[in-house]
Amino acid sequence: MENRELAETKETISQAVEKVELDALDIQGKYQDKQSNETKTSDISHNGHGFDTEQGDKSNKINIVGEIETEGNTVAQEYSSDKVDASGDFAPKSQEVNTNDVVQNDLAKEEDDSRDKEPKHMDQIADEIPSEDPNLEPVFDGTEVPGMEACRSSSTRKLDSDQETLVVVEKAVALKNFVKEKSAVAVSTMLRRLSGKSDEGAAGNFDDEGKDVSGFSNNSEPNAVSEKSVEKFDWNPLNYLKKSSDADLENKTERRDSLTRGPPTPIAMKGRIILYTRLGCEESKQVRHFLHMKRLRYVEINLDVYPSRKMELEKISGSTSVPKVYFNEILIGGLSEVKTLNVSGKLDEKIDFLITEAPIFEAPSPPLPGEDDESSSGALDELALVVRKMKETIAVKDRFYKMRRFSNCFLASEAVDFLSEDQYLERQEAVEFAQKLASKFFFHHALDENIFEDGNHLYRFLDDDPIVASQCHNIRRGILTVKPKPIVEIASRLRFLSYAMFEAYVSEDGRHVDYTSVHGSEEFARYLRIVEELQRVEIWDLSREEKLAFFINLYNMMAIHAILVLGHPAGALERRKLFGEFRYVIGGSTYSLSAIHNGILRGNQRPPYNLKKPFGAKDKRTRVALPYPEPLIHFTLVCGTRSGPALRCYSPKNIDEELMDAARNFLRSGGVVIDLTAKTAQASMILKWYSIDFGKNEVEVLKHVSNYLDPADSEKLLDLLATSDLKVTYQAYDWGLNG
């Protein structure tokens, strides 16, 4: 098989080489004919001919590479990122592309003559490249960005005029200099930036950070290209090679430090502050704010989350009323006591005590791991014990099936043999027992062709699936032996914990998250234990209201988890990873943030700027998807950005009212701004990206939105729509961290 692929690869490359040679000879012939008709001096003609031939040869080489890339990655892999020929082109590993001696001599001469001139030319080209903008259209998982094939095919078009040839000449020379200077860095940067490029059809082409780069800068040099050539060659690889390694390093540093920005740096102290609270307590909110403004880090013990601490609080303070603040073992009191100490100046003395004195044994302790947690409790799952024994007994290894290699698989016949012997079953009974195990999501067919059948079929245990093992963050290696709890119970505990965490670690307006405190909290550790229970739950029978509340709450907590694991995404490629490659296992299937958003909550609709739906026709997850899109969910999902909606918790009982409240809160807080004098409406980009969920056109979208605006603004908007004088613009989306 490998020999056949190698032979096909060599044949494809040889065809490409032959085309290069033919095109080079064709171009040489054209310019030789042209040279004979020109009246310039022989030296100038020779130099111009050599220069054009060199660049024509280069452009044809680049065209060949572009054509090969559109067919797949097999041929493209034969080109080395660090091997560059004398002209700056990428050379195949297997063989070098040779043209006639005349072209080679001209190439060598022109390189010697222009070596001193190239740096200046490079600067001229760089000046024409637009600077990048931080506002990037969203890129989601699962599909290729529209417009990529068009960009590739544009590089394979033949040149129709000398002026168009000059465009490729300038680009090829500039690209040659970049590759010579930093080959490996340049190539990796180009591929990384190219993978994140998006296109919006009529809206024009955008660079890696959202700026319109349909054409070049208007400030062109005397030898600038014409408008026609700009339209023909709107893709410029220099847009992706322009950023230096220093800029990349700065972006990485900014991404790493972004989680710690925003909140004031807490005072370093040896002591410990314990704050006892309850859910929904207004005075507890005020005490949190006061301690935050005083730069005092504290450990919160919510008595609703840790009910066993009620007895402790009553024992050490004489009552269970909250809030109560402890500095080490010393009771400071509630909100009024804290404010009194602050006014008198005695609070500063208490703080000085905390800075120098460590807590003694009698001081209240922070929550212990697993304290009052029901996640690890439950009935023993006997089926899980059988599967664990089966996994330890049968051979799990890489196998070939239907001309493909599958990792960590086992044969169905070996599983049936084990179950027949271990459970004392006839072979048919063992097959039925294996089908029962598969229906409980312990393992699945390598190609999802069936539930379970005896024979040479290949199956994988859930934690051995390569996607699960590499991208899913709610599953540990091994098999859980606790029987799965009902999804309604898990959703209820998740909702309760999310409410407590948002109250403790999110600002009152829901716009800012204290990621540092979340990461170190016992509540977040409990959340991780809860989502581990989702591996083998059955979610098919959830009602519409239950699905909405469960998946919205899960999405928001999952986004926080993803940011804590991956860091805040710095650009399009990082956002693609956060939205598409950070997953949970739920009911035996994997779900990314994009799958939950576009697959479940939007009724399996295509994400913006993508070509296909998240779930295929045979995807099991379509059973979970809502029957139609829910437009108001866009005002509830928070992916860690500043332009997103406020973070809050949702319940199935009041989900529709809560969705409308979220829409009003978002749209009235700057989501749509009406200017009656200028007859304009500035709308959030969310309404543009997901306009299809609100209406068929812009007018229908704005009419839908008017239902959630203030009555006065709604009336203004409808009046402007009636007169057809309204001009709609969209606000730049701020991808910065909501920390």
Side-chain angles (χ1 to χ4, degrees):
M1 187 67 183
E2 295 180 355
N3 293 335
R4 183 184 302 173
E5 292 178 354
L6 182 60
E8 293 176 355
T9 302
K10 290 182 177 179
E11 181 180 355
T12 306
I13 293 178
S14 64
Q15 294 175 358
V17 171
E18 183 178 354
K19 183 175 180 180
V20 169
E21 295 175 349
L22 292 175
D23 288 346
L25 292 174
D26 182 56
I27 292 174
Q28 181 186 4
K30 288 181 180 180
Y31 281 97
Q32 287 176 348
D33 295 339
K34 181 180 178 180
Q35 182 183 12
S36 62
N37 296 327
E38 291 178 349
T39 59
K40 297 181 181 180
T41 62
S42 59
D43 291 338
I44 296 177
S45 299
H46 175 74
N47 290 339
H49 170 68
F51 184 79
D52 292 340
T53 306
E54 173 195 2
Q55 306 304 339
D57 190 24
K58 286 186 181 181
S59 64
N60 283 316
K61 290 181 182 180
I62 296 174
N63 291 343
I64 290 297
V65 174
E67 292 175 358
I68 296 175
E69 286 179 347
T70 60
E71 297 176 1
N73 296 328
T74 304
V75 180
Q77 291 175 352
E78 292 295 318
Y79 286 80
S80 172
S81 62
D82 56 300
K83 185 172 182 180
V84 184
D85 61 12
S87 63
D89 297 318
F90 295 98
K93 294 182 180 179
S94 58
Q95 53 185 317
E96 297 289 332
V97 179
N98 295 321
T99 57
N100 55 73
D101 294 335
V102 176
V103 176
Q104 291 293 339
N105 292 335
D106 289 342
L107 281 170
K109 290 181 180 179
E110 184 57 30
E111 286 183 7
D112 293 337
D113 295 339
S114 62
R115 187 168 298 165
D116 295 332
K117 300 179 181 180
E118 287 171 353
K120 180 178 178 181
H121 179 75
M122 182 59 229
D123 294 336
Q124 294 172 353
I125 295 296
D127 291 339
E128 296 180 0
I129 302 174
S131 60
E132 296 184 344
D133 184 75
N135 301 317
L136 176 66
E137 306 282 347
V139 180
F140 300 89
D141 64 313
T143 60
E144 186 178 7
V145 180
M148 295 299 291
E149 290 298 333
C151 292
R152 291 174 182 169
S153 61
S154 66
S155 64
T156 62
R157 299 175 184 174
K158 292 185 177 181
L159 305 182
D160 298 328
S161 65
D162 294 341
Q163 191 172 14
E164 293 173 355
T165 303
L166 182 59
V167 177
V168 179
V169 167
E170 294 177 347
K171 294 181 182 179
V173 171
L175 182 59
K176 177 185 69 176
N177 294 334
F178 267 106
V179 172
K180 280 184 176 182
E181 222 172 317
K182 19 178 149 168
S183 59
V185 175
V187 172
S188 63
T189 305
M190 180 178 66
L191 295 177
R192 175 166 58 82
R193 298 297 175 188
L194 184 58
S195 65
K197 186 175 183 292
S198 63
D199 190 16
E200 197 197 347
N205 297 322
F206 294 84
D207 65 9
D208 187 58
E209 295 187 356
K211 278 197 173 181
D212 192 343
V213 290
S214 304
F216 288 97
S217 171
N218 293 329
N219 300 326
S220 57
E221 298 295 330
N223 293 331
V225 297
S226 65
E227 294 182 1
K228 179 179 178 181
S229 60
V230 167
E231 293 177 0
K232 191 166 187 176
F233 297 97
D234 58 352
W235 177 71
N236 184 0
L238 299 181
N239 290 337
Y240 307 103
L241 296 176
K242 184 184 177 184
K243 283 193 172 182
S244 64
S245 58
D246 293 338
D248 291 336
L249 180 60
E250 182 179 351
N251 288 337
K252 292 179 181 178
T253 304
E254 181 179 357
R255 178 186 175 193
R256 184 173 58 251
D257 296 340
S258 61
L259 296 181
T260 60
R261 291 180 184 171
T265 304
I267 298 174
M269 55 189 178
K270 296 181 179 179
R272 180 172 62 225
I273 300 177
I274 297 291
L275 172 62
Y276 289 92
T277 64
R278 283 185 182 275
L279 292 177
C281 177
E282 187 61 33
E283 288 192 0
S284 297
K285 295 179 181 179
Q286 296 183 37
V287 171
R288 290 190 196 101
H289 180 71
F290 178 84
L291 295 176
H292 177 78
M293 296 306 295
K294 298 292 288 187
R295 298 168 53 216
L296 297 174
R297 185 173 294 281
Y298 59 89
V299 177
E300 181 169 343
I301 300 179
N302 192 308
L303 297 183
D304 294 319
V305 179
Y306 305 100
S308 64
R309 291 299 184 104
K310 294 179 184 178
M311 186 179 298
E312 175 192 63
L313 180 60
E314 185 175 9
K315 181 179 179 180
I316 62 178
S317 68
S319 71
T320 58
S321 62
V322 294
K324 279 192 174 65
V325 180
Y326 274 84
F327 284 11
N328 288 344
E329 72 281 2
I330 300 175
L331 173 62
I332 301 300
L335 177 63
S336 59
E337 290 82 2
V338 170
K339 287 185 175 180
T340 301
L341 288 173
N342 185 51
V343 172
S344 64
K346 294 182 179 180
L347 185 62
D348 293 335
E349 298 177 4
K350 304 289 186 182
I351 295 175
D352 292 338
F353 165 76
L354 279 177
I355 294 175
T356 58
E357 297 294 331
I360 62 176
F361 179 77
E362 289 78 8
S365 61
L368 302 175
E371 183 176 348
D372 295 331
D373 188 8
E374 301 177 6
S375 302
S376 57
S377 62
L380 191 65
D381 192 348
E382 296 181 357
L383 295 179
L385 297 178
V386 175
V387 174
R388 174 181 286 184
K389 185 177 180 181
M390 182 173 73
K391 187 174 182 180
E392 295 172 352
T393 304
I394 63 177
V396 178
K397 59 183 180 180
D398 296 355
R399 302 173 187 270
F400 284 93
Y401 180 71
K402 293 187 176 181
M403 305 299 292
R404 291 174 57 186
R405 182 178 181 178
F406 296 89
S407 61
N408 299 328
C409 295
F410 64 89
L411 284 175
S413 57
E414 295 181 4
V416 174
D417 293 339
F418 167 81
L419 293 175
S420 299
E421 182 179 350
D422 184 73
Q423 300 295 312
Y424 305 103
L425 300 173
E426 296 293 335
R427 194 162 191 84
Q428 183 57 36
E429 294 175 337
V431 171
E432 294 174 357
F433 188 80
Q435 291 175 347
K436 181 180 180 180
L437 295 177
S439 66
K440 297 296 182 181
F441 312 118
F442 285 107
F443 50 80
H444 60 86
H445 192 279
L447 294 175
D448 288 329
E449 293 179 348
N450 54 61
I451 297 297
F452 186 87
E453 293 181 5
D454 194 3
N456 292 327
H457 297 279
L458 296 185
Y459 296 87
R460 281 196 184 104
F461 292 104
L462 182 60
D463 59 322
D464 286 336
D465 186 278
I467 298 295
V468 172
S470 61
Q471 298 183 6
C472 293
H473 295 263
N474 71 323
I475 184 169
R476 293 178 292 180
R477 298 292 295 178
I479 299 170
L480 293 178
T481 57
V482 178
K483 184 174 293 186
K485 299 179 179 65
I487 182 61
V488 175
E489 177 187 338
I490 298 176
S492 176
R493 286 191 283 122
L494 175 64
R495 181 171 62 254
F496 177 79
L497 186 62
S498 301
Y499 180 39
M501 293 181 65
F502 295 165
E503 191 171 274
Y505 307 116
V506 179
S507 62
E508 193 170 351
D509 63 356
R511 297 283 182 173
H512 305 281
V513 180
D514 186 355
Y515 288 95
T516 303
S517 298
V518 169
H519 186 263
S521 67
E522 172 58 24
E523 290 90 339
F524 183 69
R526 180 183 294 191
Y527 163 77
L528 297 180
R529 292 191 291 269
I530 290 177
V531 294
E532 285 184 0
E533 300 180 54
L534 298 174
Q535 299 172 21
R536 295 189 285 110
V537 297
E538 296 182 359
I539 57 178
W540 320 118
D541 298 329
L542 286 175
S543 65
R544 167 189 169 273
E545 293 76 14
E546 290 170 336
K547 284 181 182 178
L548 280 170
F550 169 70
F551 279 106
I552 290 174
N553 292 333
L554 181 66
Y555 180 100
N556 291 335
M557 286 299 302
M558 186 176 173
I560 294 175
H561 186 191
I563 290 173
L564 292 176
V565 172
L566 303 177
H568 179 61
L573 193 63
E574 291 80 5
R575 282 195 288 276
R576 175 183 289 272
K577 186 175 182 180
L578 184 138
F579 286 123
E581 297 181 14
F582 187 94
R583 304 170 185 255
Y584 281 173
V585 180
I586 307 173
S589 300
T590 62
Y591 292 83
S592 64
L593 289 170
S594 179
I596 293 175
H597 184 183
N598 301 289
I600 303 298
L601 298 174
R602 296 186 63 224
N604 198 28
Q605 298 296 310
R606 290 188 304 105
Y609 315 113
N610 277 251
L611 300 178
K612 64 180 182 180
K613 297 179 179 180
F615 307 150
K618 298 181 180 180
D619 198 318
K620 295 181 293 185
R621 297 173 293 179
T622 54
R623 294 177 57 189
V624 189
L626 292 170
Y628 51 85
E630 294 280 353
L632 299 188
I633 58 101
H634 300 299
F635 308 125
T636 67
L637 301 179
V638 183
C639 57
T641 61
R642 294 171 186 159
S643 290
L647 193 59
R648 59 175 293 185
C649 197
Y650 298 86
S651 62
K653 183 178 179 180
N654 304 312
I655 185 63
D656 289 310
E657 292 81 0
E658 291 170 350
L659 288 176
M660 289 189 288
D661 287 342
R664 295 188 192 100
N665 179 46
F666 179 79
L667 295 172
R668 296 180 183 183
S669 301
V672 174
V673 179
I674 309 297
D675 189 340
L676 190 60
T677 304
K679 297 182 180 181
T680 61
Q682 293 183 347
S684 168
M685 282 296 295
I686 293 175
L687 297 176
K688 180 181 180 181
W689 292 332
Y690 304 101
S691 59
I692 191 65
D693 295 350
F694 296 92
K696 296 180 181 178
N697 52 53
E698 199 169 66
V699 174
E700 290 189 8
V701 171
L702 294 176
K703 286 183 178 180
H704 191 138
V705 165
S706 67
N707 296 321
Y708 307 101
L709 297 174
D710 287 325
D713 290 336
S714 178
E715 185 177 355
K716 293 178 185 177
L717 180 59
L718 293 176
D719 290 342
L720 290 174
L721 288 174
T723 59
S724 301
D725 292 335
L726 181 66
K727 179 181 179 181
V728 181
T729 59
Y730 292 93
Q731 305 160 3
Y733 196 87
D734 189 349
W735 290 99
L737 182 68
N738 62 340

